[in-house]
Amino acid sequence: MLKLLRPAVTRVLTPLGRTLARWGISPNVVTAVGTLGTVLSALVFYPRGHLFWGTVIITVFVLADLLDGVLARMTGADGSAWGAFLDSTLDRVGDAAIFAGLIFYFVLRDDVLLAALALFCLVAGMLVSYSKARAEGLGMTADVGLTERPERLVVILVATGLSGLGVPYILPVGLWLLAAASAVTVCQRLHHVYRQAVHR
């Protein structure tokens, strides 16, 4: 579903990308601004309980993840090794901030269980990304599993935003689903890499 939506979102962002290209703004600047906006929004809005508006603002900045790709193609920077490294690294920073904001939110409300669950989702998500990067560094692949980063972001942002609108139980349900899916994905990638390693 997300792969189908990506071209449509890219078409919407293309005019903005053209404008930024004319202004001489680089894709790396867009990446950095998007990450900074995500971090500040998550750590300011979520702990205070502003789950809906925090999610709306975070979503706007997360779209920079698509915009920097559009801009890179327009400016001829597509495929830059430094740009790819920076984008992947700052993606982890943004993800960590989103879950850190939620952890603070739960801790301030003495909900230790959901704080621990959000922490588990954060760690599992990092393991999903790390397992793929490490496998590729060893000359293997690990592009399998239930949840990539876009799916994880959709689940947590939709659940958090709806919770902010007063939908009952949606955030705990989203966290439990995300925790289970992330754990399964880590196991799938471990198995996939193991099979490649033993058959070399």
Side-chain angles (χ1 to χ4, degrees):
M1 181 187 71
L2 293 176
K3 289 180 180 179
L4 293 174
L5 289 176
R6 191 179 186 96
V9 175
T10 299
R11 283 195 296 271
V12 172
L13 293 175
T14 296
L16 179 55
R18 290 197 188 99
T19 300
L20 295 177
R22 284 197 299 269
W23 291 348
I25 296 175
S26 77
N28 294 339
V29 170
V30 174
T31 300
V33 169
T35 301
L36 180 61
T38 298
V39 170
L40 291 177
S41 301
L43 297 181
V44 169
F45 285 96
Y46 282 173
R48 297 182 180 184
H50 303 308
L51 300 184
F52 176 73
W53 288 112
T55 298
V56 170
I57 296 172
I58 289 169
T59 301
V60 171
F61 284 113
V62 164
L63 289 176
D65 193 43
L66 295 177
L67 181 59
D68 61 5
V70 172
L71 186 57
R73 287 188 288 275
M74 291 180 175
T75 58
D78 194 24
S80 161
W82 165 244
F85 173 81
L86 181 67
D87 184 57
S88 296
T89 302
L90 293 186
D91 280 349
R92 307 288 85 76
V93 175
D95 294 353
I98 291 171
F99 284 99
L102 288 174
I103 290 168
F104 285 133
Y105 168 74
F106 292 129
V107 168
L108 290 172
R109 283 153 185 78
D110 295 322
D111 197 331
V112 178
L113 176 60
L114 289 184
L117 189 59
L119 178 60
F120 178 87
C121 288
L122 170 59
V123 174
M126 295 295 176
L127 284 174
V128 169
S129 298
Y130 175 80
S131 60
K132 181 177 180 179
R134 183 59 177 150
E136 291 174 349
L138 294 171
M140 295 179 282
T141 63
D143 52 351
V144 297
L146 288 175
T147 55
E148 293 276 1
R149 179 177 183 259
E151 287 83 5
R152 294 197 303 274
L153 281 177
V154 167
V155 171
I156 194 60
L157 291 178
V158 168
T160 304
L162 291 177
S163 179
L165 288 175
V167 178
Y169 308 114
I170 189 67
L171 186 51
V173 168
L175 284 169
W176 280 110
L177 287 175
L178 186 57
S182 297
V184 169
T185 301
V186 171
C187 292
Q188 287 175 307
R189 291 189 170 182
L190 288 172
H191 178 67
H192 186 70
V193 173
Y194 171 77
R195 291 184 62 184
Q196 293 174 77
V198 297
H199 289 101
R200 277 188 161 187

